[in-house]
Amino acid sequence: MLSHTISKSISLVTILLAPQAFYITTKAQNCGCSSELCCSQFGFCGNTSDYCGVGCQQGPCFAPPPANGVSVAEIVTQDFFNGIISQAASSCAGNSFYSRGAFLEALDSYSRFGRVGSTDDSRREIAAFFAHVTHETGHFCYIEEIDGASKDYCDENSTQYPCNPNKGYYGRGPIQLSWNFNYGPAGTAIGFDGLNAPETVATDPVISFKTALWYWTNRVQPVLSQGFGATIRAINGALECDGANTATVQARVRYYTDYCRQLGVDPGNNLTC
């Protein structure tokens, strides 16, 4: 885990959302839905937005809203990026790993990131993403979870994504991707061997950013319209929301409101959870 407040959220992408996603997947790995039903991103059959919306694999999937004409690269300027990473200590491993160039290269594979809704919506999404990344990595200081190799992040019930006993699935990258049932599907979607080479997330900066964008677009982007507080709940709800850790919630909100200020957009309502 990372130190102090950062450690509270390192494995959250798996503690909350991923277990739920995993259990759905194992119930219907092969989908095989009837023609009138959608196969969800987790391999389950249904006809609501949970099945036919984001990540729908087949069937009468809902068409996503059209992307707007916003240029994310023009918003995430070098000065904006430097304003984050410059706050990391010079000894941080992330200084020579994370870069705006790697982020923009990864972004080529996620054309809907920061491009849904109005221009203000785009700026709020970008501010939210970097607020969480700042909190998770300590201003891009950390690439890997501190002492992560000593921890067991293998869920043996995840038969669709079996663990390699010689590999560790601890937190890595901007979102600190964790657990075999996240590394497996992330690797499949991105194009690396997440189960047999999870360390790729800590050695290839473009793939590292892709894992963050993959998780974001599939798990967080769908709740953006509910306010920044909903994104906290999507990422670390059990450990922070409903009074569980108000200090870390407020830390995330401070980053978010600061980045909204820098990007010239109102942060909106419902900031906490």
Side-chain angles (χ1 to χ4, degrees):
M1 291 285 183
L2 299 187
S3 60
H4 55 270
T5 59
I6 300 171
S7 68
K8 304 296 184 182
S9 55
I10 286 244
S11 62
L12 186 70
V13 290
T14 59
I15 290 176
L16 294 182
L17 292 178
Q20 179 182 11
F22 159 66
Y23 289 122
I24 294 173
T25 301
T26 54
K27 289 178 183 175
Q29 293 178 22
N30 300 318
C31 231
C33 306
S34 58
S35 60
E36 73 275 10
L37 297 178
C38 298
C39 176
S40 77
Q41 61 181 312
F42 306 125
F44 202 65
C45 302
N47 58 9
T48 67
S49 59
D50 289 337
Y51 307 92
C52 301
V54 175
C56 177
Q57 300 181 53
Q58 63 186 41
C61 301
F62 298 164
N68 59 33
V70 165
S71 169
V72 175
E74 291 181 2
I75 297 174
V76 183
T77 64
Q78 191 66 61
D79 284 346
F80 176 80
F81 194 93
N82 287 348
I84 300 173
I85 199 169
S86 65
Q87 297 185 58
S90 59
S91 59
C92 289
N95 284 326
S96 59
F97 184 75
Y98 299 113
S99 70
R100 175 176 178 267
F103 166 72
L104 293 179
E105 186 174 344
L107 187 65
D108 287 340
S109 298
Y110 295 89
S111 61
R112 298 184 62 77
F113 172 82
R115 300 186 66 230
V116 177
S118 67
T119 300
D120 282 354
D121 290 333
S122 292
R123 290 178 180 272
R124 276 189 283 267
E125 178 175 3
I126 292 166
F129 175 81
F130 281 99
H132 288 301
V133 167
T134 297
H135 185 77
E136 297 294 334
T137 65
H139 294 91
F140 287 122
C141 178
Y142 300 102
I143 303 171
E144 297 183 295
E145 176 183 344
I146 293 175
D147 295 328
S150 66
K151 299 178 177 65
D152 181 12
Y153 286 101
C154 173
D155 187 328
E156 296 180 356
N157 292 319
S158 180
T159 55
Q160 187 176 10
Y161 303 109
C163 300
N164 180 326
N166 298 315
K167 297 296 180 178
Y169 303 104
Y170 49 88
R172 298 179 177 93
I175 287 287
Q176 293 289 293
L177 192 75
S178 310
W179 295 95
N180 53 310
F181 48 75
N182 273 327
Y183 275 94
T188 299
I190 294 167
F192 75 99
D193 193 340
L195 294 176
N196 296 308
E199 64 276 7
T200 305
V201 181
T203 59
D204 187 317
V206 175
I207 286 179
S208 196
F209 269 113
K210 283 185 177 181
T211 63
L213 291 167
W214 170 81
Y215 192 86
W216 183 271
T217 54
N218 282 284
R219 307 287 196 268
V220 185
Q221 195 176 57
V223 304
L224 284 171
S225 63
Q226 300 171 33
F228 183 70
T231 71
I232 301 175
R233 189 175 296 280
I235 290 176
N236 208 7
L239 297 183
E240 298 182 20
C241 293
D242 303 315
N245 194 328
T246 56
T248 56
V249 168
Q250 291 303 320
R252 292 179 191 268
V253 171
R254 282 194 298 273
Y255 291 134
Y256 173 64
T257 54
D258 179 42
Y259 296 159
C260 282
R261 179 189 57 78
Q262 293 184 41
L263 299 180
V265 66
D266 186 282
N269 302 316
N270 302 319
L271 300 185
T272 61
C273 60

